[in-house]
Amino acid sequence: MTRPADLPTAPVTEPATAPPPAGPAAPPAGAVDPARWPDVARVPHAKLRAAVAGRLLRRVAHRRGLDVRLPDGSALVAAPPGAPVLRLHRPADFLARVGATGLIGFGESYQAGDWDAPDLVGLLSVLATAPETLVPTGAQWLRRLYVQRPPAAELPTAANARRNIHHHYDLSNELFALFLDRTMTYSSAVFPTTPSGAPLATWEGLPEAQHRKIDRLLDLAAVGPGSRVLEIGTGWGELALRAAARGARVTSLTLSEEQLGLARRRIAEAGLADRADVRLCDYRAAEGQYDAVVSVEMIEAVGRQFWPEYFRTVDRVLAPGGRVALQAITMPHDRMIASSNTYTWILKYIFPGGLIPSVQAIDQATARHTRLRVAADHAWGPHYAETLRLWRERFTDRAADVAALGFDQVFRRTWELYLAYSEAGFRTGYLDVRQILLTREETAR
């Protein structure tokens, strides 16, 4: 083959074993709607940066043991047997995108079909392990060439929050129903485990595992008959349903109109409309006093600069003796700090305006701005990896149904990468999920 100009010119080492299966054909170049996906349709002109990216790719492949395959099936560098495969369909485009915008370009090149991987989670797991070492220490200054700050229009202010939520959760209830289980729960389940603690995850067992998660959170908040409960972030209503079924009176807040409509309908059909009230309302506007405040994987959308206001709101509406139970995705504190002002592929295409907190950040925000203190903390990250695996497999299996809803190939590849990237984060420990109990300082134990 003719080697792309931006790849290093050192000889390619042919593998001793047969090349991996060809897999699906790459989407044709130019088959991207530029109005819908402008930065995916456009390949940047970045010859020098592409050359740098080519050298970095060779280094990463060698040091991480990746099998990088060029379009003719040859290998970029020698790789160990069974190494994760990154198959380049359009190497020059791949290197131009990565050279111009780093990991955003890496994601956009997948959206465009410049590369594929037979085992996407396996490949991303290798890259997610110690990601700070992907770029050599002496070359860290190169980050300033491509790292962007989140745009002001996506900061999760009261004015922007509804638009950010609409970007993801108002895509289509029918879309989410294609890959979520019948409970329509879009957060980590808690599965039964083996004697060694490994989750036993099956599609058939997912509804029960989601109920197990919800019930643990409600127990943590001591929700029972007569409890006044505030839920921040409704989802599609399953937690509100189970809290109301316990005899609690629930006020649930959401900014998603799609979720609002379906949650209200599900609650009415269950005969619990007199106990659960779902409102289109920002958390900052919450009113009343509650014995329990519960929230499942919503703090990630709040934004670092608004965590103080979020926790002050929770403290303000919590009745004396009340309890706060949060389910949160977390990351190590140093990685949170490093990424807190960085515009990432996930922010650009999946969750605008958000930031995953660390446990230390939650401790600091509550200690500095409220009377709340962390009283209990339980993590179960491997269960989220399995939850995501089940969703990803379901989403992939139903690709034709996703297309029938009007979502194009770039959208489907976007979500395949998002689900696989998230799964890899939990499999490597880069991400974790936990349920956290907050109580007032005078009653913390």
Side-chain angles (χ1 to χ4, degrees):
M1 65 171 283
T2 300
R3 182 171 304 283
D6 292 326
L7 275 177
T9 56
V12 172
T13 302
E14 296 295 342
T17 57
V32 177
D33 180 357
R36 173 69 181 87
W37 308 98
D39 290 346
V40 178
R42 179 176 58 251
V43 179
H45 298 287
K47 187 172 183 180
L48 179 59
R49 294 185 186 185
V52 173
R55 292 184 177 88
L56 179 60
L57 175 63
R58 182 180 290 278
R59 178 185 186 274
V60 170
H62 175 71
R63 299 210 170 182
R64 295 294 177 94
L66 300 182
D67 187 356
V68 178
R69 294 286 170 147
L70 299 169
D72 65 356
S74 61
L76 181 64
V77 299
V85 175
L86 189 159
R87 183 179 292 107
L88 293 174
H89 300 299
R90 292 187 285 272
D93 291 358
F94 172 86
L95 294 176
R97 295 179 195 273
V98 173
T101 55
L103 292 177
I104 290 179
F106 180 77
E108 288 174 344
S109 65
Y110 185 82
Q111 292 170 281
D114 297 339
W115 66 275
D116 270 304
D119 178 6
L120 188 55
V121 174
L123 172 69
L124 296 174
S125 294
V126 171
L127 298 176
T129 302
E132 69 278 3
T133 65
L134 289 174
V135 177
T137 303
Q140 288 292 333
W141 62 272
L142 290 169
R143 293 183 76 249
R144 70 171 179 262
L145 296 177
Y146 58 82
V147 169
Q148 308 170 44
R149 289 183 177 274
E154 294 182 7
L155 295 178
T157 62
N160 295 339
R162 184 172 295 185
R163 183 171 62 249
N164 288 348
I165 293 299
H166 173 79
H167 177 89
H168 188 87
Y169 294 97
D170 286 344
L171 286 167
S172 161
N173 285 341
E174 291 76 16
L175 171 70
F176 288 97
L178 286 177
F179 68 92
L180 299 181
D181 68 272
R182 59 179 170 78
T183 71
M184 289 293 288
T185 306
Y186 190 37
S187 53
S188 179
V190 176
F191 297 98
T193 58
T194 66
S196 64
L200 292 167
T202 64
W203 178 257
E204 294 72 22
L206 184 55
E208 181 182 353
Q210 292 290 9
H211 285 163
R212 184 180 296 110
K213 174 271 301 295
I214 292 171
D215 291 344
R216 286 189 181 185
L217 195 72
L218 295 177
D219 290 345
L220 195 62
V223 172
S227 296
R228 298 166 297 169
V229 178
L230 175 67
E231 180 186 21
I232 301 177
T234 305
W236 285 276
E238 193 69 13
L239 187 148
L241 280 166
R242 291 188 76 78
R246 291 187 175 202
R249 294 195 172 273
V250 184
T251 300
S252 186
L253 310 182
T254 182
L255 289 178
S256 166
E257 294 183 3
E258 289 275 328
Q259 290 185 333
L260 175 79
L262 183 53
R264 282 178 171 174
R265 185 164 72 248
R266 295 180 72 213
I267 289 167
E269 289 172 352
L272 295 170
D274 59 330
R275 296 185 193 170
D277 177 22
V278 183
R279 302 175 184 176
L280 195 67
C281 179
D282 189 276
Y283 70 87
R284 285 162 276 227
E287 297 178 347
Q289 289 281 285
Y290 301 91
D291 305 305
V293 178
V294 295
S295 187
V296 177
E297 296 177 26
M298 182 273 175
I299 191 174
E300 302 87 345
V302 169
R304 184 182 182 188
Q305 60 271 63
F306 299 103
W307 289 339
E309 187 172 9
Y310 172 83
F311 286 114
R312 280 196 296 263
T313 299
V314 171
D315 193 15
R316 171 173 58 81
V317 301
L318 189 66
R323 296 160 73 93
V324 181
L326 306 178
Q327 182 166 314
I329 299 170
T330 61
M331 66 166 60
H333 190 68
D334 60 338
R335 297 306 306 158
M336 186 209 80
I337 296 297
S339 62
S340 61
N341 288 315
T342 301
Y343 196 41
T344 65
W345 181 84
I346 286 286
L347 292 179
K348 185 173 182 178
Y349 289 102
I350 306 296
F351 292 115
L355 178 67
I356 293 173
S358 66
V359 176
Q360 183 176 337
I362 293 173
D363 278 336
Q364 291 174 349
T366 53
R368 292 173 182 173
H369 302 284
T370 75
R371 298 164 292 170
L372 302 171
R373 299 295 181 268
V374 175
D377 174 14
H378 172 68
W380 72 98
H383 292 249
Y384 216 151
E386 290 301 301
T387 304
L388 283 154
R389 175 182 64 80
L390 294 174
W391 292 343
R392 176 177 54 81
E393 291 172 351
R394 187 85 162 179
F395 183 89
T396 302
D397 289 345
R398 295 191 162 188
D401 297 317
V402 175
L405 291 175
F407 296 99
D408 65 13
Q409 184 179 38
V410 176
F411 177 89
R412 298 193 297 276
R413 290 181 69 85
T414 300
W415 273 62
E416 288 167 5
L417 182 61
Y418 149 57
L419 292 169
Y421 170 86
S422 301
E423 181 182 340
F426 287 100
R427 292 206 182 280
T428 59
Y430 183 82
L431 300 176
D432 208 341
V433 63
R434 55 213 325 128
Q435 289 184 348
I436 299 171
L437 173 65
L438 300 174
T439 59
R440 288 251 168 74
E441 189 171 23
E442 63 269 21
T443 60
R445 53 182 172 80

